[in-house]
Amino acid sequence: MQLSVIYELRANNVKEEDIETIMERVKNRLSEENIDIELQKLGYPKIFTVDYDDYNEFDYDDEDDDRY
């Protein structure tokens, strides 16, 4: 899993020194959530997890829909 995490971080333009820092910090507790926490501490957006409470794909106004 560690190599795939590093690949994904590189694919999302995370600096190499930041990847090393993140991997060092989560080495004994490697999980998607912990990696995203460390990414956010360094100013990056989350890559591996989604906050569904903050995301609502059905957030639209019916009055703006001309089909009805």
Side-chain angles (χ1 to χ4, degrees), residues 6 11 20 28 34 38 40-41 43 45-47 52-56 60-61 64-65 67-68:
I6 293 171
E20 291 176 21
N28 294 325
N34 289 338
E38 296 301 328
Q40 289 183 306
K41 287 179 183 178
K46 290 181 178 183
I47 295 174
Y52 289 104
D53 292 337
D54 295 338
Y55 178 73
N56 186 355
Y60 65 90
D61 187 2
D64 292 336
D65 194 350
R67 296 180 297 168
Y68 299 106

Side-chain angles (χ1 to χ4, degrees), residues 29 32-42 46:
R29 51 185 181 86
E32 294 171 340
E33 294 84 10
N34 289 338
I35 294 168
D36 277 347
I37 289 168
E38 296 301 328
L39 280 167
Q40 289 183 306
K41 287 179 183 178
L42 295 173
K46 290 181 178 183

Side-chain angles (χ1 to χ4, degrees), residues 12-54:
N12 282 277
N13 300 317
V14 177
K15 296 177 186 176
E16 285 296 321
E17 58 268 13
D18 292 338
I19 292 173
E20 291 176 21
T21 300
I22 291 167
M23 297 309 291
E24 180 64 29
R25 289 180 181 172
V26 301
K27 66 182 175 184
N28 294 325
R29 51 185 181 86
L30 186 62
S31 72
E32 294 171 340
E33 294 84 10
N34 289 338
I35 294 168
D36 277 347
I37 289 168
E38 296 301 328
L39 280 167
Q40 289 183 306
K41 287 179 183 178
L42 295 173
Y44 294 97
K46 290 181 178 183
I47 295 174
F48 298 100
T49 60
V50 176
D51 289 332
Y52 289 104
D53 292 337
D54 295 338

